[in-house]
Amino acid sequence: MKFNNPVIKGFYPDPSVCKVEDTYYLICSSFQFFPGVPIFESKDLINWEQIGHCLTRTTQVQLEKVNSSGGVFAPTLRHHNGRFYMTTTNDTTRQNFYVWTDDIYGEWSEPIYVDQGGIDPDLFFENGKTYFMSNGQDDYGVSGIVQCEIEIDSGQKLSPSRTIWQGSGGRYLESPHMYKINGLYYLLAAEGGTEYGHMETYARSSSVSGPFEAYPHNPVLTNRNLGGYELQGVGHGDLVQDNKGNWWLFHLGFRQTGQYMTYHHLGREVFLTPVTFGEDGWFTAGHNGTTLLSFDTDRIPDTVVQNEKKIFTFDNTDWNLDWCYLRHPHYENYLLESGRLKLRGSEVTLDEPGSPTFIGIRQKDFNAVISCEVSVLDGEAGITIYMDENHHYDLAVRTRETGYQVIERLNIGDIKSVEHTLDLTSRNHAVLLIKASATQFSFFVQLEDKEIPLGTAQTRYLSSEVAGGFTGVVIGLYAAGGCTGHDAAFTNFRCEYL
């Protein structure tokens, strides 16, 4: 059958995967958004359904006032002796920790911290021992992939942290994952930075602690030389074996906005690439070491159909799964009802690294039509196309002394400008409409059956290349100002991908 990449669209970076019996589970990083570390499951590798989050309580992770692209970095998911473990880094507090659960559909434990630095931690279990790996410096000042043995119940180190591999020469060696395959230990890593030079490399050894021999043809997977191809930034992957013995690599990548337009704003997404082991024990990946936007494969039966959801509404999404908050939310400002949302604004705005009244859903494709009826009694409320506190586009209804008006506001770095307004006089509500393409957002007000254009804004100014950071665009519904109750109401939300 033929499947299309990405298999999980939108801002879901740094995938890690494991298989338990006939079910695959996958998690991604979440940075400053909450709940943290979304969890997906699949039976066929290409159709994924979100089932929860690993970090759902404020006691599990500190996100108060963390900078955008701070907070929860790349996680690893592993299953051992009936228990799931998720290990990650809070990059803001510089702490590596893990949580565990015996029920992946339920709550996870409080964090257990490990006294080893770096980021992108990994757990490897063998013969009653637990090995903890991350990138960084070891106890002797040597940089690379660092390993120690820990006591799994407490996180206590049982051995010094020691560098076991220093990569193939690329910058930003990260994302270590260890596997034992056919008696050999394989250490997978990412190099080159999570940008256009990103790549997957690996090495192998007869011992879990090395020395490791690098794959002679590293990188095993990269799109760095595919200039003009939509799919770029391939790397940071995790291997999994299916029930038929085939190996696959789940990894991140991003889609640039045009053939020669090196901007991306949807974030880093989840891609699937086939892996093949040779008789010599080395493996190759993808099409001549590259990842494609679609693969024809006989590894997945033709009876499997890749489904794609095109329309997202209040009625067909789950507030606890599909939607997210900025940092730890003040729940008293939210009324999440069936088919309706009510918000109470606060003095915290979208322009600061706090927790404004905001609930968002990730943008999943370039071409979309986003609409919502918004009413306001006091303050301001609307739709924001949000990358971070310094880069977002707002379409909102706000109160004025003379009545109400709709505004189009552009926030690009230090420039924050209300570009267009439309007075509503006595009307305090309007249908707000945003049409998205790969290169542009267009903003409208829909009054009765008439669409009134308010302006446009380029997607590039919300891209990672301009804004920086590691996240992607989130379509947010927000309220600001006002303090007399849940002053803003949102109905008939619809995001349709074309």
Side-chain angles (χ1 to χ4, degrees), residues 31 33-34 36 55-64 71-72 88-90 97 110-111 113 328:
F31 298 93
F33 291 92
F34 186 82
L55 305 176
T56 57
R57 304 185 300 278
T58 58
T59 56
Q60 292 173 303
V61 60
Q62 200 295 104
L63 292 178
E64 191 71 21
V72 179
T88 188
T89 309
N90 186 332
F97 67 93
E110 290 299 297
Y113 296 94
H328 294 309

Side-chain angles (χ1 to χ4, degrees), residues 6-10 12 26 28 40 46 48 269-271 364:
V7 292
I8 302 178
K9 292 184 172 183
Y12 292 105
L26 184 148
C28 299
F40 298 84
I46 58 172
W48 292 88
E269 305 173 289
V270 180
F271 293 81
K364 298 179 184 299

Side-chain angles (χ1 to χ4, degrees), residues 121-132:
D122 180 66
L123 289 173
F124 179 75
F125 300 93
E126 185 180 46
N127 298 329
K129 295 183 177 182
T130 304
Y131 298 91
F132 183 90

